[in-house]
Amino acid sequence: MRTLVISDIHSNSDALKAVISDAVVFDRVWCLGDVVGYGPDPNECIQILKSLPRLVCILGNHDAAVMGFIELSAFNNEASAAIMIQERMLSQESREFLELLEVQRVEDGITLAHGSPRNPIWEYVMNARTAKENFSAFDTQVCLIGHSHIPVIFIDDHSKHPGILLPSSGDMWRSEKRFLLNPGSVGQPRDRNPLASYVIWDDEEEIYSYHRVAYDFRPVQERILSLGIPSRHAYRLAEGI
Ligand code: ZN
């Protein structure tokens, strides 16, 4: 079975459509949160997600904020400005979708969380120390995470410092060791590569493969600016920051 693993769509429907058409064949979809925030198309992204086969979607910090589950004061001004605009845009159907998202879940023997297994809403796993501390926070071999918008794998090799891999498009990963894996971001990559990022998990081959796909971000930028969302969230799409 082929599972499309995506995260941090951030209301960028053009990037999401590009990922879906690039992935071509998949049997189910795991989304690691932050469907909304930053971009112009929260309702369209939710509609697209709902149309995908066997979707499992986890709650991200932006999803939680737009629903009023967490305080906006926890975000910087530019992030919270986008959240406030989207709060007004959200349809009833979108609110019902976000309302039901779980904070963390084990699916088919794999842990899914947005930030980290220890603190799924907020914690960024950006370095070896944080990764190491998180290996005791989940029971499965693998935990899939998002939130940092960086494609990365942290491997528990029982040494003081976990191994770190920064995969490029086309790279494949298979291991018997325990690991945390981030597929990168669909709608707002931050590894200085503006291409939308996703992973395919093939459970027969037991391989996670990384993919990047180009899309035209200029119409997304125009929609961001026309909605009055802070311009930084438009310009960063060109830089991958
Ligand atoms: Zn995010």
Side-chain angles (χ1 to χ4, degrees), residues 7-10 33-36 38 60-62 114 124 146-149 185 188 190:
S7 192
D8 297 278
I9 298 164
H10 283 300
D34 277 2
V35 178
V36 303
Y38 295 129
N61 54 318
H62 288 252
H114 178 62
Y124 288 92
H147 196 38
S148 71
H149 302 205
S185 167
Q188 195 197 79
R190 293 183 191 159

Side-chain angles (χ1 to χ4, degrees), residues 1-7 19-20 22-23 25-26 28-32 110 142 144-145 150-153 167-173 179 181-186 196-202 206-213:
M1 177 153 30
R2 280 166 60 89
T3 307
L4 173 62
V5 183
I6 51 178
S7 192
V19 162
I20 291 165
D22 193 63
V25 181
F26 49 88
R28 60 183 177 184
V29 179
W30 294 347
C31 175
L32 306 171
I110 295 173
V142 180
L144 304 179
I145 53 172
I150 309 279
V152 62
I153 305 169
S168 302
S169 191
D171 285 356
M172 296 188 190
W173 171 248
F179 55 92
L181 182 147
N182 189 324
S185 167
V186 171
S197 185
Y198 69 96
V199 157
I200 295 283
W201 157 233
D202 184 326
E206 292 185 25
I207 284 173
Y208 290 84
S209 54
Y210 275 84
H211 303 266
R212 301 301 284 258
V213 56

Side-chain angles (χ1 to χ4, degrees), residues 34 36-37 59-75 79-88 90 95 98 121-122:
D34 277 2
V36 303
L59 184 80
N61 54 318
H62 288 252
D63 308 317
V66 91
M67 291 297 289
F69 300 157
I70 55 177
E71 292 287 328
L72 269 185
S73 57
F75 293 81
S80 62
I83 289 165
M84 284 190 284
I85 289 168
Q86 296 199 358
E87 207 173 356
R88 293 194 293 271
L90 274 192
R95 298 188 71 82
L98 295 173
I121 294 287
W122 279 117

Side-chain angles (χ1 to χ4, degrees), residues 20-21 31 53 59 69 77 104 111 153-154 157 164 198 200 212 216 223:
I20 291 165
S21 66
C31 175
L59 184 80
F69 300 157
N77 288 342
Q104 193 165 343
T111 303
I153 305 169
F154 296 95
D157 47 17
I164 302 177
Y198 69 96
I200 295 283
R212 301 301 284 258
D216 186 359
R223 295 200 297 279

Side-chain angles (χ1 to χ4, degrees), residues 174-186:
R174 178 194 350 219
S175 179
E176 316 252 289
K177 293 177 179 167
R178 299 183 76 222
F179 55 92
L180 291 152
L181 182 147
N182 189 324
S185 167
V186 171

